[in-house]
Amino acid sequence: MIETKLDRVGTLYVVATPIGNLEDITLRALRILKEVDLIAAEDTRHSRQLLNHFDIHTPLISYYREKEAERSEELVQRMLAGETIALVTDAGTPGISDPGAVLVQKARAVGVPVVPLPGPSALATALSAAGITDGSFLFLGFPPAKKGQRQKLLSTFKETPWALIFYESPHRIDALLADVLEILGDRQAFWARELTKIHEDLQAGSISQLLALATGRRNRGEFVLIIQPGFCQQVQGENLEEILLWYQQNTELSLKDVSGRIAKDLGLSRSDVYQKALKVWAATNEES
Ligand code: SAM
């Protein structure tokens, strides 16, 4: 049982670091990394390079997925004894498909203040360039490596009305795209590869177009894949009525708001969508 010594308790800083371009480190991150007693890093050799670049010589300790439970006990004890610790991962924001959650939970549970420092994340960076008008999305992290499990997961989200976002490594991106095509259909999608790096590559297109780009070549760099919801492609097949019905049955939005949103998302005339929505609403009112 951990005892708290609140008079001397330290702080846990959760520090986002660059996902490629070192200029993306924040001034606050640099100051905190300099000032803390200890930096807990996913890979100490990797983080040492970053710290050397900024002339920071704070001691490092390793904190990686397989050791999270054990190492977090030790780190919490040190913070209870008054030490301040910064948590970093190899790239981006700790806790997003990265270690961090266990330490954060344990620190908070015993009254150690947890201070997050915002900064780079591949998720937010990709989204900012994707142009998803709706604003809603479902982040699913890394998909399972095994085909069967991956396909099962994708089936679960077949009817989801929001964009799906995955992280994926270069050697599995083609397998993921092939499964998306098979299970979810030829939806519109976007990939962000090598974000913030020299060979940054942003591609928008259908899943089959992206699959053609990814197949048969050596894909370098990590990917963020954003898959648009199914209705974006259905509407090109004149399936507007079905979409309107879905919104009517599954959201609290008014007829006007639904028409406005669909018209904007799909580049259709607002009044045409509104007229169609009136009919759908009237028909369902008659039924009930
Ligand atoms: N916590 C990190 C974050 O906030 O971005 C993510 C860590 S996760 C282990 C690594 C994955 O993030 C990669 O496989 C890739 O999908 C994505 N990623 C990280 N850096 C990236 C970059 N520069 N360009 C594109 N995707 C990147």
Side-chain angles (χ1 to χ4, degrees):
M1 179 71 188
I2 296 167
E3 277 179 22
T4 46
K5 302 171 196 161
L6 286 170
D7 51 330
R8 298 176 51 199
V9 84
T11 298
L12 174 64
Y13 294 95
V14 184
V15 182
T17 55
I19 56 171
N21 192 326
L22 296 188
E23 287 181 13
D24 292 334
I25 193 128
T26 68
L27 294 174
R28 189 171 170 217
L30 288 176
R31 179 175 61 78
I32 293 295
L33 292 172
K34 237 176 231 163
E35 286 177 3
V36 289
D37 298 308
L38 185 66
I39 297 173
E42 186 181 11
D43 178 341
T44 51
R45 274 176 306 177
H46 183 97
S47 295
R48 177 53 70 206
Q49 286 176 13
L50 174 81
L51 297 172
N52 282 344
H53 180 85
F54 291 109
D55 202 19
I56 295 173
H57 304 286
T58 309
L60 282 158
I61 188 169
S62 66
Y63 180 86
Y64 50 93
R65 185 80 76 196
E66 293 73 18
K67 280 252 172 176
E68 273 206 273
E70 193 185 311
R71 200 27 79 77
S72 55
E73 282 294 337
E74 181 189 337
L75 295 177
V76 163
Q77 288 297 347
R78 291 177 73 155
M79 288 185 283
L80 286 173
E83 285 190 45
T84 52
I85 297 181
L87 171 69
V88 298
T89 53
D90 289 353
T93 304
I96 303 181
S97 297
D98 256 347
V102 177
L103 181 58
V104 163
Q105 272 185 20
K106 284 196 176 158
R108 186 171 298 117
V110 296
V112 170
V114 176
V115 179
L117 269 65
S121 170
L123 171 63
T125 311
L127 260 174
S128 72
I132 305 280
T133 45
D134 176 285
S136 317
F137 61 89
L138 194 59
F139 174 59
L140 296 165
F142 287 100
K146 291 200 174 123
K147 188 179 177 72
Q149 290 174 9
R150 198 167 51 226
Q151 292 203 339
K152 199 168 162 206
L153 178 91
L154 289 170
S155 310
T156 317
F157 295 106
K158 229 172 171 165
E159 305 300 329
T160 302
W162 310 293
L164 304 176
I165 306 186
F166 288 104
Y167 280 167
E168 190 52 289
S169 67
H171 60 277
R172 271 202 288 267
I173 188 72
D174 48 353
L176 172 61
L177 287 164
D179 285 343
V180 172
L181 187 60
E182 187 181 331
I183 307 293
L184 303 180
D186 202 7
R187 298 186 180 190
Q188 289 302 301
F190 175 83
W191 85 31
R193 191 172 66 98
E194 300 261 68
L195 281 163
T196 80
K197 301 183 189 176
I198 294 170
H199 298 293
E200 183 173 78
D201 173 28
L202 308 176
Q203 301 281 351
S206 64
I207 291 289
S208 54
Q209 286 169 334
L210 297 183
L211 181 58
L213 274 180
T215 306
R217 68 171 201 186
R218 207 167 143 245
N219 292 304
R220 284 175 173 278
E222 305 290 290
F223 287 79
V224 181
L225 179 67
I226 303 182
I227 305 158
Q228 295 273 24
F231 62 71
C232 289
Q233 126 217 7
Q234 284 170 7
V235 81
Q236 284 151 18
E238 306 296 314
N239 227 345
L240 184 55
E241 205 168 302
E242 224 174 279
I243 298 167
L244 286 163
L245 204 55
W246 185 90
Y247 267 92
Q248 199 226 24
Q249 289 170 354
N250 295 284
T251 72
E252 302 290 325
L253 294 172
S254 70
L255 186 155
K256 193 163 157 260
D257 287 346
V258 168
S259 317
R261 181 186 284 210
I262 293 177
K264 188 167 163 237
D265 278 355
L266 304 172
L268 301 173
S269 138
R270 182 184 275 261
S271 66
D272 286 356
V273 179
Y274 187 74
Q275 290 307 320
K276 188 89 177 171
L278 276 175
K279 285 186 193 149
V280 169
W281 259 245
T284 47
N285 284 341
E286 271 170 28
E287 277 168 26
S288 57

